[in-house]
Amino acid sequence: MSARSDLVPLQPGDRAPNLVLDAITQEGKIALDDFRGQKPVLVGLFRGLHCAFCRRHIAAQARLDPELREKGVESLTVVNTPIERARLYFRYHPMPNLLAASDPERASHRAFGLPNLEFTQNETNWPYKVSMAAVKDMLVDIPSELPGPMDPIAAGEILDKKDHYELTEADEQMMATGHGQLVGQFLLDRQGIVRWSFTEVPEGGRYMFGAPNPQELMSAVSQVAQ
């Protein structure tokens, strides 16, 4: 499937679409409209659990949950992992109070304007196409877990081994269609308007595999919670 070249991430001031997804950590469905008019919500749109970097970003967002709820802000994590596989993962890797939803089709990512990168031999047209050479030039540095800055492919292999994460058929199916899915976090106010965001899209991949500054995020949360 060729990459869409018309997707642009939602910006502050844009109204977020409604999403209705299968809940992972509870029964039934989760809809963004459930929060509209009730409370602000931080929506984290991540790749599937096959992505070692996203597993860490999900855990980081979960660690912020108590502070977010103290300010009256909900947190929703969305992963493009099939529901049963996701439920199995979180059963063995519980994160207290995590509210998560499954979106194997990545409809939520498209709705928020996050492109799915197409990997090419030598063509780069960021954020829709990227060459493998350009990917290997995107050094990842996680001092607490990696021996030093390295390309994301090598880094991912090290992190998978560290996590004892074994790919399943469901993971491989998600990787085949969405391995290049760009991700992001969007803070919505009570009316469902984007007030802050962090995505991998800007500046030619500078933020690929990165995470927002927690202080910057919580400053935005404080503004929205007023």
Side-chain angles (χ1 to χ4, degrees):
M1 181 182 296
S2 61
R4 281 182 57 181
S5 59
D6 59 343
L7 288 177
V8 177
L10 296 185
Q11 300 296 313
D14 291 338
R15 177 175 292 276
N18 184 36
L19 302 171
V20 181
L21 303 170
D22 288 321
I24 297 171
T25 49
Q26 63 185 41
E27 295 300 319
K29 303 281 187 178
I30 297 175
L32 277 187
D33 273 359
D34 294 342
F35 306 103
R36 215 179 298 267
Q38 303 297 319
K39 61 177 66 174
V41 57
L42 175 64
V43 181
L45 303 175
F46 301 104
R47 284 179 284 277
L49 294 167
H50 59 267
C51 170
F53 309 106
C54 287
R55 294 197 298 271
R56 282 153 176 78
H57 298 332
I58 291 165
Q61 181 164 316
R63 286 194 295 271
L64 284 176
D65 277 356
E67 193 172 353
L68 291 171
R69 290 198 171 98
E70 185 177 312
K71 293 182 178 295
V73 177
E74 187 57 84
S75 174
L76 173 62
T77 291
V78 179
V79 295
N80 63 282
T81 295
I83 185 69
E84 292 305 324
R85 169 60 172 160
R87 284 178 173 167
L88 181 64
Y89 177 85
F90 286 115
R91 188 177 306 145
Y92 288 98
H93 300 82
M95 299 180 189
N97 302 315
L98 177 72
L99 182 62
S102 167
D103 184 8
E105 302 299 326
R106 307 187 316 282
S108 54
H109 299 71
R110 290 190 296 274
F112 275 77
L114 295 170
N116 183 21
L117 269 176
E118 177 184 344
F119 294 105
T120 70
Q121 188 66 31
N122 51 30
E123 180 185 2
T124 294
N125 177 26
W126 188 269
Y128 309 108
K129 296 182 179 181
V130 65
S131 70
M132 291 307 299
V135 171
K136 290 189 175 183
D137 284 340
M138 296 177 183
L139 297 183
V140 177
D141 188 14
I142 308 177
S144 61
E145 298 194 82
L146 298 175
M150 62 181 61
D151 77 77
I153 297 174
E157 291 174 353
I158 289 175
L159 296 177
D160 279 341
K161 289 180 181 178
K162 179 182 176 69
D163 297 345
H164 303 289
Y165 192 89
E166 296 184 6
L167 293 177
T168 66
E169 182 179 351
D171 290 322
E172 291 173 351
Q173 290 174 349
M174 294 300 97
M175 292 172 65
T177 60
H179 202 38
Q181 177 63 60
L182 298 183
V183 304
Q185 292 166 278
F186 298 83
L187 179 62
L188 312 183
D189 66 16
R190 291 177 181 81
Q191 287 71 48
I193 304 299
V194 177
R195 295 303 178 193
W196 171 92
S197 67
F198 174 90
T199 77
E200 293 180 316
V201 174
E203 300 184 32
R206 175 185 173 188
Y207 299 104
M208 192 75 174
F209 311 111
N213 180 293
Q215 288 75 29
E216 178 186 329
L217 169 56
M218 293 312 300
S219 176
V221 166
S222 295
Q223 294 295 319
V224 168
Q226 290 179 357

